[in-house]
Amino acid sequence: KVEQKTIKNNITLSLYNYSVTSTMTPFRSISLTALLLGTAAADSADSVSSRLQVHVPQTLFRPEGYDHREALFGVPPYGGSIAQSVYYADSDLCDPTVDTRKGYPIRAKDNNGKMEPWPTPYILMVDRGGCSFVQKVRNAQRSGAAGVVIADNTCLCSDKDCVSANGQDVCQPAEPIMADDGSGGDISIPSFLMFKVDADEIKAELRANHMVQIEMQWALPKPDDRVEYDLWTTPSDVVSKDFQKKFKSVAQALGDRAYFTPHMYIYDGIKSNCQGFDGENMCFNLCTNNGRYCATDPDNDLDHGISGADVVKESLRRICIWKHYGEQDGVGTQWWDYVQAFMERCDNPDYFMNDDCAGDCYKHANINQDIIDRCMRDSGGLEKDTPNTFLDLEMQAQVSRGVVILPTAFVNTVALRGGLSTATVFTAICNGYLDGTEPKICEECESCGDFDECIANKKCKSKGGGGGVSTHTFMSSILFICIAFGGAAFYHYRKTREEMREQVRGILAEYMPLEGEDGAVGSPMDFARRGGSENLMMS
């Protein structure tokens, strides 16, 4: 038993070691297998979704742009760009206390004799090394940067000129992935990693006190009037749950103008050495089909709770539900209903693997259980050393698409970076349409202050950025303020006029006794009581 326990622990370690951290939550990871399989394909996704160009000086302009890596955190403005002057921090920016008065180009000095800070808005170039990518970008964000370009400090092994020119004994076979360290949820600005040979040219210009202007651009392929979007996740993924609970109404609002495809991430057990030479399952309850299809243990406890095999089973179930209840229209209302019901009823160690609980979710979503059970069996099932057609297709798709991080959403084959939210995915989808073919819901809700209400009613009552107010409310408020100030002004005018009259009456009563018509001297108050209407200038 002790030996079996040791083997189990070693298996768990092999699946979790050398992991890439999820882009949105701490300590959620993907195994080395996913990283190795996804790296090559991921390059193409990055090169399609973003572009890095130098506009000033003209000598550094390249028609094809500059090679770079895009961060897997932050919120890029899909369909837009950031074109600003660049300032070199001359630092790795690992210290949270950022000195904005140093770096290049050199600026004029203020009245205290100190160099002026970097004038906002600006793009900040920082050196690689010393701390995580997230920490550098966070510090740059706090200093006021609109974007960050991290200058690599190591040559590519394939670039012999760079290696020989820098005399480096160490080189890297490929540029690193700008992954999240698990704390990047607060990052809202985009960032790129620039290759050393190119970054050195930019730094040389800046050190020579020459201005450099860079453009960071994000574009989505716009093939036609229908956008295709995908979501890669697992039934046990925590980060995508909120998205899956809320996005159904958006999918319905987009209708046939957008085609959704959910994907379940499955680990290749054979490549992960979970299937022995004799076909035996070496990874125990992490895998099905004698070690062919695997998933990581959600609670990191091989003896209790939800197992990897349970996750694989639920993945196959959701694939079959989509095949029969979503694939035809690309909206999949019943698929969304099932997922929401499962998260509410069964998403805990007591009921996750309970077939009766899944049966209740079928009923709630109006799904025929017999059809789904037959689909799971006919595709190859989850028993014995038998290949499953649907699970094999998912593994092939994740390799060809280059899925590196979970969860990941794709729009028109481009991976979306930053936090997974309904508004972010909706905005990316709306920017994926051919110009002039955007559906009305995009025009109505993309910039609406109350996004959820707009999607529900298909009409925006509060145009403008988040927290905005409607035109009716704004005009009513202005009218109320005008009436209030007008009333106050009128009251002040009347009160001041009366006070002045009282003062005049008092003065006249004291110093100007008047003679009556019969020659008698009248009381000084008579004039005052009449309101001072007589002409004081007697001819």
Side-chain angles (χ1 to χ4, degrees):
K1 184 174 182 180
V2 174
E3 182 181 359
Q4 185 183 40
K5 182 75 174 182
T6 303
I7 294 174
K8 286 185 178 181
N9 290 338
N10 289 338
I11 292 167
T12 304
L13 185 63
S14 69
L15 285 175
Y16 280 95
N17 270 351
Y18 306 103
S19 62
V20 175
T21 308
S22 168
T23 58
M24 272 86 49
T25 189
F27 313 121
R28 303 290 300 174
S29 57
I30 303 173
S31 74
L32 177 62
T33 305
L35 175 60
L36 294 178
L37 293 178
T39 300
D43 291 346
S44 61
D46 280 345
S47 63
V48 171
S49 65
S50 60
R51 177 183 175 88
L52 179 62
Q53 182 60 273
V54 176
H55 292 293
V56 178
Q58 185 65 26
T59 54
L60 295 181
F61 177 83
R62 295 181 184 177
E64 70 281 5
Y66 283 78
D67 288 332
H68 64 281
R69 288 293 177 269
E70 183 181 352
L72 303 184
F73 53 88
V75 184
Y78 289 105
S81 65
I82 299 175
Q84 298 294 340
S85 297
V86 181
Y87 289 90
Y88 174 45
D90 196 18
S91 165
D92 57 19
L93 224 68
C94 292
D95 187 347
T97 305
V98 179
D99 186 358
T100 61
R101 295 180 180 272
K102 64 178 294 187
Y104 300 92
I106 294 175
R107 282 88 63 203
K109 294 184 178 180
D110 59 17
N111 295 332
N112 297 322
K114 296 182 178 180
M115 188 161 60
E116 293 181 349
W118 305 314
T120 57
Y122 59 87
I123 295 173
L124 191 62
M125 174 172 277
V126 304
D127 294 323
R128 181 188 171 192
C131 58
S132 69
F133 293 123
V134 171
Q135 187 173 341
K136 295 174 185 290
V137 177
R138 178 182 291 113
N139 292 337
Q141 176 176 293
R142 290 173 178 171
S143 74
V148 178
V149 175
I150 297 177
D152 202 352
N153 55 7
T154 307
C155 295
L156 290 172
C157 296
S158 58
D159 192 342
K160 304 300 182 184
D161 293 337
C162 178
V163 174
S164 60
N166 288 272
Q168 293 184 338
D169 297 330
V170 179
C171 60
Q172 55 189 5
E175 289 293 335
I177 296 174
M178 290 185 69
D180 193 343
D181 64 2
S183 66
D186 62 330
I187 305 298
S188 59
I189 63 173
S191 54
F192 290 161
L193 175 70
M194 197 173 197
F195 294 9
K196 176 176 172 56
V197 64
D198 299 325
D200 286 349
E201 290 187 60
I202 304 295
K203 287 193 287 187
E205 286 287 328
L206 295 172
R207 286 181 179 277
N209 296 318
H210 297 158
M211 185 55 66
V212 176
Q213 186 183 74
I214 283 181
E215 181 179 21
M216 305 168 73
Q217 184 179 32
W218 296 262
L220 294 172
K222 301 182 178 183
D224 50 34
D225 61 353
R226 190 182 82 161
V227 169
E228 297 180 358
Y229 64 108
D230 307 64
L231 173 65
W232 284 89
T233 183
T234 67
S236 59
D237 177 50
V238 176
V239 179
S240 62
K241 287 181 181 179
D242 186 65
F243 174 83
Q244 294 182 81
K245 287 178 181 177
K246 297 180 179 179
F247 203 77
K248 171 190 169 184
S249 58
V250 179
Q252 291 175 322
L254 291 167
D256 61 0
R257 298 297 307 279
Y259 189 92
F260 173 62
T261 304
H263 291 281
M264 300 293 115
Y265 196 98
I266 306 295
Y267 292 95
D268 190 331
I270 295 177
K271 291 185 177 180
S272 298
N273 297 318
C274 282
Q275 187 178 71
F277 294 108
D278 56 356
E280 182 183 359
N281 182 1
M282 304 298 294
C283 292
F284 303 98
N285 62 359
L286 291 178
C287 306
T288 65
N289 303 72
N290 283 38
R292 283 180 175 268
Y293 311 106
C294 307
T296 54
D297 193 300
D299 42 28
N300 297 333
D301 187 346
L302 293 176
D303 296 319
H304 306 92
I306 306 169
S307 68
D310 295 330
V311 176
V312 174
K313 181 178 180 179
E314 178 60 24
S315 297
L316 179 60
R317 180 182 285 127
R318 295 187 186 187
I319 292 171
C320 282
I321 292 173
W322 181 258
K323 292 288 183 184
H324 289 275
Y325 292 93
E327 193 172 59
Q328 184 173 354
D329 63 2
V331 176
T333 299
Q334 289 161 287
W335 185 89
W336 291 105
D337 288 339
Y338 170 83
V339 172
Q340 291 177 11
F342 188 91
M343 287 189 287
E344 293 172 359
R345 293 170 166 80
C346 312
D347 194 13
N348 58 72
D350 295 326
Y351 293 100
F352 191 96
M353 67 293 295
N354 189 299
D355 290 334
D356 292 335
C357 189
D360 289 339
C361 298
Y362 287 142
K363 294 177 182 178
H364 176 81
N366 196 25
I367 292 173
N368 189 322
Q369 181 172 348
D370 292 336
I371 293 177
I372 304 305
D373 290 345
R374 189 183 313 116
C375 170
M376 294 174 69
R377 290 194 304 270
D378 293 348
S379 62
L382 298 169
E383 305 295 333
K384 302 179 181 179
D385 185 13
T386 305
N388 185 289
T389 304
F390 291 156
L391 298 182
D392 282 337
L393 288 174
E394 289 295 276
M395 291 194 301
Q396 293 170 15
Q398 68 197 31
V399 173
S400 62
R401 182 58 60 87
V403 181
V404 180
I405 301 294
L406 292 182
T408 295
F410 288 81
V411 174
N412 286 350
T413 72
V414 173
L416 302 186
R417 307 306 186 196
L420 182 67
S421 67
T422 55
T424 300
V425 176
F426 177 77
T427 300
I429 291 173
C430 290
N431 280 286
Y433 289 99
L434 191 67
D435 292 340
T437 66
E438 300 86 353
K440 186 177 180 181
I441 193 69
C442 287
E443 300 174 5
E444 192 68 32
C445 299
E446 189 174 2
S447 59
C448 186
D450 192 335
F451 175 77
D452 294 332
E453 182 184 20
C454 183
I455 291 295
N457 300 325
K458 297 185 179 180
K459 184 175 180 61
C460 182
K461 296 182 179 180
S462 55
K463 280 288 184 182
V469 296
S470 65
T471 302
H472 175 74
T473 303
F474 176 76
M475 294 305 297
S476 299
S477 301
I478 293 296
L479 180 61
F480 174 78
I481 292 172
C482 290
I483 292 174
F485 274 96
F490 181 73
Y491 172 77
H492 179 71
Y493 166 75
R494 290 293 302 270
K495 184 178 179 181
T496 303
R497 184 179 177 189
E498 288 298 324
E499 289 176 350
M500 290 181 65
R501 277 186 175 181
E502 289 298 328
Q503 291 176 6
V504 170
R505 289 172 184 172
I507 293 171
L508 292 177
E510 184 174 356
Y511 295 106
M512 296 183 63
L514 301 177
E515 181 178 353
E517 295 177 358
D518 55 359
V521 177
S523 170
M525 294 304 296
D526 292 339
F527 177 84
R529 292 191 187 100
R530 292 194 295 270
S533 58
E534 285 113 333
N535 189 354
L536 299 179
M537 300 297 294
M538 305 297 294
S539 57

